Amino acid sequence: MDHGNFSFRLNPHTFVRNFGSCIYMENQVNHVKGYFNGWAYTLARNIFHSYTTFGFWNDHRLQSFDHGNNEARISKEQMEKFLYWLNEMWLIDIHDDAGVKGGDDFSYQRAAEVEARFAGKMCGSPGNLCTDTPWLQRLQINITDACNERCRHCYLPGQKKDRATAIPASTVIDLLKQFRNMNGLKVVLSGGEIFMYRDLFAILDECRKQDLMILLQSNMVTATPDDIARLKALDLFNIQVSLYSTDEEVHDSITRCKGSCRKTMANIERLVANDIPATISCPVTQANFASTDRLLEWAANLGIEAHFDYVVMAQCDGGDGNIGNRLTAEQTRKLVDMEVRTKPIFVDAIGKAQSLDELLSSPIGLRKQGCSILSDSLCIDSDGSAYPCPGWNGMKIGNIATKSLQEIWGVSDAATQLRTVEKDDFKQCRGCELQNFCNMCPTYNYNENGGDMFKPCSRFCENAGLLRQSLIDRYNELHPQP
């Protein structure tokens, strides 16, 4: 079908990375992502890649399309169909006789609807389609160790926070430019507490200038209404806010910061009121276990997601004083049962499974995206040290003071060696019936077992067993045998 003349642009929430023979696109509102090569790459590169304002599609522009070395010429109809499909996926906006149509801004009111509509759309592997080497897609920068809380479960030791080391803003800005030159996409700013970093908004402005998706991690205790207004203007991908309970006494006993619960909750409400994408991060310990259901209810009423972590990572300096806060097995089972009954991924899997064997054979207990060491992410700490991921401070693979980001990521011996680690190298996990329910992590292993990343943290094994049994019990409850 000939759509006639129309105009189009990149959706304002779409980010594009050009690898020379492949283009990657991702919309940060609906999380649709796609990798385009062949004639689709040529079309994307030559026509809409540079558009931030509406540009016309007409016969003149069609004739200027460079087919390159394509074996067959692509018809106008095929190209128009492709553009309208990109519009349907919210990657571009189109203005035609029917008016302007395209993707929306983020809204809590429509978040569930958008997630359901686009779930699972256009997933792919950049390592296979865009580049022969691992793509550093996500960079976390711990801009400061300073923190206004002293959480009992935190993997950062108190001495590190007391030293309050911070990366100079000029160094961070240079690092962001290096990252962008490597086709980097997502930057995570963390700490410590990022709102204690004097030049935070200068860094955020540079992130926007470099066309990077922005993810923040904060307790939001000291953020002001003016700060939140500035965050709104930055069009964030997400801000992860630490909240441990809606009970002030419980939360403040964990943070050891009086008034922190009230201030954090007020700012979460402001984020929601301003339609700034946010999630609640809640490590569950013995101290706040009894109040998790109330936190979940409060979050649900606001329309914001709350994520629970009930493992607790040992301290990054090898200390284990914080893991005494872990839940008991009985408490963990109650929390797992709650998630099995309420989390959509479990509810849907149990409802769709034709048998218990089918349910247990699916990897529903695993992360949506598996974790491979140094496959797409890196962490830079406050002293410039580079780690494979946050918390793995003992596994230094370089420092930005002496090496470029490209050197650390691409050619360092440590990075090359870590990328050879495979699932089968974890000998205790071979053939384990709990593999579909276990998110075992080398970082947790390393911190808890004296630097041995291949020895599983026993808590993962225990939790995986509890999840498997909870799924079995729930399935049998809903599918009683005659």
Side-chain angles (χ1 to χ4, degrees):
M1 179 177 69
D2 190 336
H3 293 279
N5 291 344
F6 58 90
S7 56
F8 52 88
R9 68 175 182 187
L10 282 178
N11 181 274
H13 305 296
T14 295
F15 291 75
V16 178
R17 296 296 181 262
N18 188 345
F19 290 88
S21 60
C22 171
I23 274 183
Y24 175 88
M25 304 179 72
E26 181 174 343
N27 182 291
Q28 71 171 12
V29 175
N30 66 359
H31 309 301
V32 167
K33 56 192 72 173
Y35 313 94
F36 305 105
N37 53 12
W39 70 265
Y41 163 75
T42 308
L43 176 62
R45 182 196 66 196
N46 286 1
I47 297 183
F48 63 77
H49 177 248
S50 62
Y51 277 117
T52 54
T53 56
F54 282 106
F56 283 103
W57 170 261
N58 50 35
D59 288 338
H60 174 72
R61 186 159 293 282
L62 171 67
Q63 291 165 9
S64 69
F65 171 56
D66 175 14
H67 291 277
N69 295 319
N70 287 304
E71 295 180 3
R73 290 184 65 82
I74 306 303
S75 71
K76 179 182 180 183
E77 182 180 31
Q78 286 175 291
M79 287 187 275
E80 290 184 356
K81 183 178 180 181
F82 176 62
L83 290 171
Y84 270 83
W85 176 70
L86 291 173
N87 173 252
E88 202 176 306
M89 294 296 106
W90 291 12
L91 296 174
I92 68 172
D93 298 334
I94 277 180
H95 188 183
D96 59 14
D97 293 340
V100 178
K101 48 182 176 282
D104 293 332
D105 296 337
F106 175 81
S107 161
Y108 282 94
Q109 188 174 359
R110 293 194 58 204
E113 174 193 339
V114 170
E115 182 177 358
R117 175 179 169 186
F118 292 101
K121 299 285 187 183
M122 298 172 60
C123 292
S125 169
N128 291 338
L129 290 175
C130 283
T131 175
D132 294 332
T133 57
W135 172 26
L136 179 54
Q137 183 181 147
R138 177 184 172 115
L139 179 68
Q140 175 160 330
I141 309 174
N142 297 334
I143 54 179
T144 180
D145 291 335
C147 190
N148 45 15
E149 295 183 336
R150 290 295 182 273
C151 300
R152 298 179 184 278
H153 59 271
C154 187
Y155 66 81
L156 294 177
Q159 307 93 295
K160 185 175 173 69
K161 296 176 183 179
D162 293 338
R163 286 195 295 269
T165 304
I167 310 181
S170 58
T171 302
V172 178
I173 288 173
D174 179 67
L175 187 60
L176 292 173
K177 291 176 180 177
Q178 291 184 56
F179 180 53
R180 183 63 181 86
N181 287 336
M182 293 169 64
N183 261 334
L185 180 66
K186 301 175 182 177
V187 64
V188 183
L189 297 181
S190 188
E193 170 47 46
I194 59 173
F195 280 95
M196 295 183 71
Y197 186 80
R198 183 181 59 186
D199 297 313
L200 174 62
F201 281 97
I203 300 303
L204 291 173
D205 288 341
E206 184 65 29
C207 290
R208 180 54 58 233
K209 188 184 299 183
Q210 295 298 329
D211 190 37
L212 296 168
M213 288 188 186
I214 302 171
L215 296 84
L216 304 179
Q217 296 176 346
S218 170
N219 57 44
M220 296 296 289
V221 168
T222 61
T224 67
D226 284 345
D227 290 334
I228 290 175
R230 296 178 74 179
L231 293 179
K232 175 66 174 178
L234 286 162
D235 189 28
L236 300 182
F237 179 90
N238 189 265
I239 178 165
Q240 177 183 301
V241 185
S242 300
L243 178 68
Y244 310 125
S245 177
T246 54
D247 183 312
E248 290 190 37
E249 185 176 344
V250 172
H251 177 93
D252 293 357
S253 73
I254 294 172
T255 64
R256 293 182 273 202
C257 177
K258 189 171 179 59
S260 58
C261 179
R262 176 175 45 81
K263 293 173 183 176
T264 296
M265 289 178 66
N267 275 329
I268 290 174
E269 290 172 345
R270 290 188 181 103
L271 291 172
V272 172
N274 284 277
D275 275 331
I276 298 173
T279 54
I280 293 172
S281 174
C282 179
V284 185
T285 65
Q286 293 185 40
N288 63 339
F289 167 74
S291 63
T292 52
D293 56 344
R294 295 191 293 279
L295 188 153
L296 188 63
E297 181 181 5
W298 181 78
N301 288 335
L302 279 178
I304 187 172
E305 288 188 65
H307 297 286
F308 297 112
D309 171 25
Y310 38 92
V311 176
V312 178
M313 181 192 293
Q315 290 178 345
C316 62
D317 62 352
D320 60 2
N322 64 328
I323 63 177
N325 294 283
R326 282 177 175 165
L327 299 176
T328 65
E330 181 183 359
Q331 289 173 325
T332 304
R333 175 58 195 263
K334 289 180 179 178
L335 186 58
V336 169
D337 285 346
M338 178 188 74
E339 291 200 324
V340 164
R341 290 173 178 271
T342 59
K343 262 185 136 176
I345 188 171
F346 297 132
V347 173
D348 292 347
I350 294 170
K352 293 175 182 176
Q354 298 298 308
S355 67
L356 182 58
D357 286 342
E358 179 185 332
L359 175 67
L360 299 181
S361 65
S362 62
I364 57 173
L366 305 184
R367 300 182 185 94
K368 288 183 179 179
Q369 296 182 349
C371 175
S372 297
I373 303 173
L374 295 175
S375 61
D376 62 5
S377 62
L378 185 69
C379 179
I380 305 297
D381 203 9
S382 55
D383 65 356
S385 297
Y387 312 133
C389 64
W392 206 350
N393 298 38
M395 187 60 74
K396 293 181 173 63
I397 61 172
N399 192 295
I400 58 173
T402 56
K403 292 183 179 180
S404 69
L405 189 61
Q406 179 69 64
E407 289 172 325
I408 293 171
W409 178 253
V411 298
S412 70
D413 292 339
T416 301
Q417 185 174 0
L418 284 167
R419 288 191 183 107
T420 66
V421 174
E422 298 179 350
K423 189 176 181 179
D424 201 46
D425 293 328
F426 298 85
K427 296 179 181 179
Q428 285 182 235
C429 303
R430 294 174 186 172
C432 179
E433 68 170 4
L434 300 177
Q435 287 188 26
N436 284 342
F437 317 97
C438 182
N439 281 315
M440 182 271 293
C441 171
T443 305
Y444 281 73
N445 297 349
Y446 186 97
N447 287 0
E448 192 159 336
N449 295 313
D452 185 353
M453 70 168 136
F454 296 108
K455 181 181 178 182
C457 166
S458 60
R459 183 50 63 110
F460 283 108
C461 307
E462 295 163 9
N463 289 355
L466 292 172
L467 175 58
R468 184 178 187 274
Q469 189 58 52
S470 182
L471 288 164
I472 291 172
D473 292 347
R474 182 60 172 162
Y475 182 87
N476 289 335
E477 180 185 338
L478 295 176
H479 302 84
Q481 297 298 313

